Amino acid sequence: MAIEFNHWPEDLARHYRARGYWVDLPLGDILDRHQHSDAVALIDGERQYRYRELHQAVNRLAGAFQRRGLTTGDTALVQLGNNAELCITLFALLRIGVAPVNALFSHQRTELDAYAGQIEPVLLVADRQHALFRDDHYITALQSRLPGLATVALLNDGGERDLSGWIDEPQQTPVNGASQPGEVAFFQLSGGSTGTPKLIPRTHNDYYYSIRRSVEICGFNAATRFLCAIPAAHNYAMSSPGWLGVFYGGGTLVLAADPSPTRCFPIIEQQQITHTALVPPAVSLWLQALRDGVQANLSTLTLLQVGGARLSEALARRIPAEIGCQLQQVFGMAEGLVNYTRLDDSDEVIFTTQGRPMCPDDEVRVVDEDGNILPPGTEGRLMTRGPYTFRGYYRSPEHNARAFDREGFYGSGDLIVVGEDGNIRVVGREKDQINRGGEKIAAEEVENLLLRHEAILHAALVSMEDELMGEKSCAFIVGHRPLRAVEIRRYLRELGVAEFKLPDRVEMVPDLPLTAVGKVDKKRLRQIIADHQLAR
Ligand code: J2J
């Protein structure tokens, strides 16, 4: 059975096909088109896969999954870090029509519970090296709640459920069963602004277009040697153009565990990396390392993409000057719309804007609070629809009613200004989210967890400025007794929540300021914390 999702209206779907955006090929085609190639597709530490080998590994794992009963229309919860197995698993699932949620490696019990509860997976793929999977407690707990979760594969397990063992199983069955190109290929994770993390169904057609067009704009080809050091399961790393874009173009993907200069500089030199993608805090660390005189030959690097959070103009200008490569700003979202500065744009555009939509049929509107379209050059809310922008979160009709307007435009919660040349500047945000150096925190999700603490009466999470991360989080708390930040962080850690969501600072207050309509006045709270920071 096909996975349910909100379809595009017929007339738009017809238009997207007529314009050649939707080509009705499954995403597995990205590898199939290189299946006879001896070029190196993937380098993960000491391991190296040629396209031919990668394709075979994918087929073997797809067969192993199929023999264990997985079939078209099933769903899977996958949590793997930046390694070859993540790529192999994704393609194997695509081959047999199983739609995964690719959780980030930083996610813990709370996040995985929320995703599993929504998709009711029949398969779990995880890594023994992740704290949650060091023993079987969490797996057993998940299975008792989700009786359909019959199949478990574990990286670094060594036993019968060992993922690498499954990848090595000789293929005995012909594999087939990819879902239809118009159907859901997998779920992406929303940065979120609500209590429960939302899932974004992405179809083969829409996602494949976003990859092909990204490859074209960013100039990826067989000579591209792309370093992926940001979380590979993130939409940015997968599709802008990311590692799927590298494979589409026939280039080489080099994986790294994290974007630190100590990790990445030697890899860039040894692997002759030509392209990579970072978030702004990583750029700061790279520039600092170079200023500190860290010896590194980065001369092969031609393009550095930066996205996920606001990049200051000052930092942007330092990139070509100090790293010696071109900068490309990327303003994207897992929900769809991706904007790029173009390789032949002027310095002015590249340093001061977040680029423009990649597709001529991306419709972007800037509206006021009531949804009225604003004149060009005015700051307002971003609304968008297009051939690769989703039409609804998975099983979330109420939230969708708020997130979309009547014409199917999605409101990203970003405040933007569109210049005369069409380039966008992201100037703020009206969603209740903290962007911690590209990692998104839904304030309500953390507040709900805080409210479960016996000594907490009220809680509000807001952003505060941070030189390196751009933003960090501060929790304002009304409690029965004074609570220290360490205590609160420990409490949340024990509940099982990604480390980046733990409040960086805690302020105990007698009460929370309210707006005229009785909502917590977060603007006031942000001001209070800004004043505190100034006073220090
Ligand atoms: C300011 N804010 C930005 C930017 C994203 C490519 C690149 C990034 C993402 C991503 C992605 C920004 N300047 N350059 O999926 O394919 C903020 C906005 C946006 C939100 C989306 C991709 N680039 N942002 O970051 O789903 O607020 O996707 O709405 O994680 O990040 O977050 P996410």
Side-chain angles (χ1 to χ4, degrees), residues 189-191 200 234-237 239-240 306-311 329-338 340 354 382 410 412-414 426 428-429 431 433 435 438 440:
L189 311 177
S190 159
I200 303 158
H234 190 274
N235 190 61
Y236 178 20
S239 65
S240 296
V306 184
R310 203 186 96 82
L311 176 70
Q329 297 213 37
V330 192
F331 164 40
M333 53 200 74
E335 284 82 358
L337 180 72
V338 179
Y340 293 105
Q354 281 65 61
L382 167 66
Y410 162 67
S412 74
D414 294 302
V426 184
R429 184 183 331 123
K431 55 188 160 189
Q433 185 185 77
N435 188 337
K440 315 302 184 315

Side-chain angles (χ1 to χ4, degrees), residues 224-349:
T224 301
R225 298 179 66 82
F226 178 78
L227 174 66
C228 179
I230 55 174
H234 190 274
N235 190 61
Y236 178 20
M238 279 176 72
S239 65
S240 296
W243 53 272
L244 288 173
V246 175
F247 291 159
Y248 177 75
T252 302
L253 165 70
V254 181
L255 291 164
D258 65 70
S260 63
T262 37
R263 178 87 67 176
C264 291
F265 286 3
I267 297 180
I268 293 173
E269 193 168 333
Q270 283 155 21
Q271 299 295 349
Q272 313 248 292
I273 297 299
T274 57
H275 296 68
T276 192
L278 293 177
V279 290
V283 175
S284 296
L285 295 179
W286 283 32
L287 290 168
Q288 192 54 46
L290 292 172
R291 281 207 172 165
D292 290 346
V294 170
Q295 286 303 309
N297 179 357
L298 308 182
S299 61
T300 52
L301 202 59
T302 57
L303 186 74
L304 174 58
Q305 301 182 286
V306 184
R310 203 186 96 82
L311 176 70
S312 72
E313 184 184 334
L315 211 54
R317 287 189 184 275
R318 289 178 57 193
I319 290 170
E322 297 177 34
I323 301 181
C325 64
Q326 193 182 357
L327 163 67
Q328 178 180 52
Q329 297 213 37
V330 192
F331 164 40
M333 53 200 74
E335 284 82 358
L337 180 72
V338 179
N339 306 276
Y340 293 105
T341 57
R342 305 302 201 259
L343 303 183
D344 57 359
D345 275 344
S346 67
D347 281 356
E348 199 54 26
V349 167

Side-chain angles (χ1 to χ4, degrees), residues 76 93 108 133 177 203 207-208 220-221 234 240 248 294 301 303 308 337 342 363 389 404 423 468 475 484:
L93 293 175
Q108 301 291 341
F133 297 101
T203 65
Y207 214 72
Y208 204 173
F220 280 30
N221 55 39
H234 190 274
S240 296
Y248 177 75
V294 170
L301 202 59
L303 186 74
L337 180 72
R342 305 302 201 259
E363 299 174 76
T389 295
F404 290 80
N423 287 300
L468 179 63
R484 286 185 309 143

Side-chain angles (χ1 to χ4, degrees), residues 114-115 118 190 192-199 396 399 442 444-445 448:
Y115 299 137
Q118 290 177 69
S190 159
S193 56
T194 59
T196 30
K198 296 274 182 287
L199 293 170
S396 309
H399 183 59
E444 192 186 330
E445 186 191 350
N448 287 346

